[in-house]
Amino acid sequence: MTSSPVSRVVYNGKRNSSPRSPPNSSEIFTPAHEENVRFIYEAWQGVERDLRSQVAGGERGLVEEYVEKVPNPSLKTFKPIDLSDLKRRNTQDAKKS
């Protein structure tokens, strides 16, 4: 059995030549977008709450945290990035330009 490569989204650090929205404009969110964000946020809060209560009670339930048993050797040098920090730095760089 051979394993096929898995596609991954990678941030390459390059910006598009045209910005998504004009500078100095506030983003406009539709009611549908806000509803989706609220749904995902509330669902994730429920998952975290269930996970914390399971850990505190020492029980095993519906929510289980995934931990890789055998780490992928090609990810040995992988360093996660803080997307909030990246966005903040990009915003500051855009203001300097």
Side-chain angles (χ1 to χ4, degrees):
M1 180 178 197
T2 62
S3 61
S4 60
V6 177
S7 63
R8 291 189 172 96
V9 177
V10 178
Y11 176 73
N12 64 7
K14 296 180 182 178
R15 293 187 194 182
N16 294 339
S17 59
S18 60
R20 281 190 339 194
S21 60
N24 298 325
S25 71
S26 61
E27 293 186 54
I28 299 171
F29 298 116
T30 65
H33 172 82
E34 291 178 358
E35 182 181 346
N36 288 339
V37 171
R38 188 171 28 261
F39 171 79
I40 292 169
Y41 175 79
E42 290 171 359
W44 184 247
Q45 294 304 309
V47 169
E48 287 186 325
R49 185 176 47 253
D50 292 348
L51 185 58
R52 280 193 304 270
S53 68
Q54 284 176 204
V55 169
E59 61 190 43
R60 192 168 176 170
L62 296 175
V63 179
E64 186 175 335
E65 183 177 6
Y66 175 78
V67 178
E68 222 173 280
K69 291 179 177 79
V70 180
N72 186 335
S74 64
L75 296 176
K76 186 177 181 180
T77 60
F78 174 78
K79 292 188 183 5
I81 61 170
D82 181 348
L83 293 177
S84 298
D85 181 52
L86 181 65
K87 183 178 180 181
R88 183 177 40 77
R89 283 189 280 138
N90 284 343
T91 303
Q92 288 173 349
D93 291 345
K95 289 179 182 177
K96 290 178 184 176
S97 302

